[in-house]
Amino acid sequence: MAARRALKAVLVDLNGTLHIEDAAVPGAQEALKRLRAASVMVRFVTNTTKESKQDLLERLKKLEFDISEDEIFTSLTAARNLVEQKQVRPMLLIDDRALPDFTGVQTGDPNAVVIGLAPEHFHYQLLNQAFRLLLDGAPLIAIHKARYYKRKDGLALGPGPFVTALEYATDTKAIVVGKPEKTFFLEALRDTGCAPEEAVMIGDDCRDDVGGAQNTGMLGILVKTGKYRAADEEKINPPPYLTCESFPHAVDHILQNLL
Amino acid sequence: MAAWAERLAGVRGVLLDISGVLYDSGAGGGAAIAGSVEAVARLKRSPLKVRFCTNESQKSRRELVGLLQRLGFNISEGEVTAPAPATCQILKERGLRPHLLVHDGVRSEFDDIDVSNPNCVVIADAGESFSYKNMNRAFQVLMELENPVLISLGKGRYYKETSGLMLDVGAYMKALEYACGIEAEVVGKPSPEFFKSALQAIGVEAHQAVMIGDDIVGDVGGAQKCGMRALQVRTGKFRPSDEHHPEVKADGYVDNLAEAVDLLLQHMDK
């Protein structure tokens, strides 16, 4: 077991950890209150590419979680931060529902490409436009590179294959900003003023949540809710700092051992 | 670099790329590249053997040749080595029934092929037909096969049309490779079998042949790997950085086909 650390920040995954679709994980609201009473900074992190912060906040408020908008950090936020850092004007190949998170970002006369899960935009003409921008030196920012996802009618291509197509055509590499990339976790912590060594991540996806966080120097707690499957904890090396039943159990452990 | 006379000594046959060397495709059939019609005519009048070696897979050979003839080129179907016929041969030899991810313009090349109950996917330059829906269908076919086979007509990254550069089949091939975790088989340049069959068609050996193309990797690099010499033209998809490619050094860089033919006719052994 790791030595006691001065814990200053807790990152919490949303879907699968704090709630499962439209139902809260039992005891989660109360556990969150206890965590806040311990004066650590809390951030809620997710890889969504088609829900704006407003959408997420609404759902969480309905489930009676006490959360404010500026505590939410999504892969879309990560992409927006990078766009602002680089001072570029992006061509946005993202779901319409994600557009609110880019309000105020200049998109006219683009010199960058941001790409998420947006099947309606992955037709030849638009991809060709993106390709020409990239060939001229525009950076390619990918929310994530998932190969496919599950739809009602079966498996469907994710953004990963189209990012790969553009990378190959232009002989460049995309900057991937979602979990499990280091950038995602570092960006999520940025405005907390905390170093990764002072933070812990709680999530249900062993590779993307826990593995990604630990790679950055954080502690990772794997919860057995959401997409967790038996023996997931054996799939990463080093293994999770802790594997436990659910978010409330993770909070108990933090309050008893890490503060 | 050695003098042209040295570099072009002993050439008996010429393989000509089509797109980017003879013409640029595009609206209204596209446009001939300046000097190329006359250059082809001069080559045909010379003792050199000529073969057109193209990765064109959006149009059938008949449509392509018809178009080029209307632009004034001296060319016939029997002089063209193209990937669709080569693919059909492979499909028949291996009992493969393809799901075709292709442009309607090339479908007629597959008229003889059994496409029922597909056990593989064939991907060509589908252009506008590379919709998300069509890509997804091909992906789903592959994911349902116990032994997924993906055959790609070429693997080019992009080519030039009159309106600008266009994503080519290679990019979409890579997309399906990544999605399914498989590797495609490539028919067409730069595969050695393809070059060999073009050489066989004119009865010329590799060391006696020169390839003229606009794709530094697919045309020039590919031809050189087969023992041919190759000239890079500065038309078509050429970009200045191609002249400093980290891996491929052409046997010569010329402005266009007309200049290439000038040099060939000047320096070939009489």
Side-chain angles (χ1 to χ4, degrees), chain A residues 85-123:
Chain A
Q85 232 175 80
K86 285 179 172 295
Q87 298 185 312
V88 287
R89 299 175 303 276
M91 173 187 186
L92 295 172
L93 293 178
I94 60 176
D95 195 292
D96 283 348
R97 285 168 289 177
L99 285 174
D101 278 359
F102 285 85
T103 320
V105 171
Q106 280 228 53
T107 55
D109 185 28
N111 58 2
V113 176
V114 170
I115 179 167
L117 176 58
E120 72 278 15
H121 293 318
F122 292 162
H123 55 84

Side-chain angles (χ1 to χ4, degrees), chain A residues 119 122-124 127-128 131-132 135 145 147-149 151 153 155-157 160-162 164-165 168-171, chain B residues 127-128 130 132 135-136 139-140 143 155-158 163-167 170-172 174-175 178-181 239:
Chain A
F122 292 162
H123 55 84
Y124 186 76
L127 283 175
N128 210 46
F131 155 69
R132 289 179 184 182
L135 213 54
K145 283 190 73 172
R147 286 158 60 183
Y148 50 83
Y149 66 107
R151 263 195 332 206
D153 64 336
L155 296 178
L157 293 168
F162 297 95
T164 305
Y168 174 75
T170 57
D171 197 19
Chain B
E128 292 280 343
F130 275 132
Y132 178 82
M135 278 291 284
N136 213 40
F139 161 69
Q140 287 173 341
M143 290 301 269
K155 58 175 192 176
R157 291 155 60 198
Y158 52 83
S163 68
L165 295 178
M166 315 290 288
L167 282 170
Y172 287 91
K174 285 285 173 187
Y178 177 83
C180 305
R239 303 173 84 228

